[in-house]
Amino acid sequence: MGRGRQKAKHTKIARELKSYSPAVNYSALERELAHPSDDQYVDKWADQYEDEYEEEKA
């Protein structure tokens, strides 16, 4: 493929991407960005592993 055809193809793709506007679920975005609940900071895997500082004491 010649350079002119390649450049035209890239230009076409760039124009399509520039005008592309995906659908946005604003309610889901609002929930995600809202104040986090306390459960978010609880480490659900913490009980499966020993703490590092406990191993150093032994």
Side-chain angles (χ1 to χ4, degrees), residues 10-40:
H10 285 286
T11 303
K12 178 184 174 187
I13 293 171
R15 284 188 186 135
E16 289 174 359
L17 289 174
K18 185 176 180 181
S19 63
Y20 176 70
S21 136
V24 178
N25 185 347
Y26 289 105
S27 59
L29 181 63
E30 183 180 2
R31 282 193 307 272
E32 184 176 337
L33 296 176
H35 294 288
S37 64
D38 293 335
D39 295 340
Q40 183 178 2

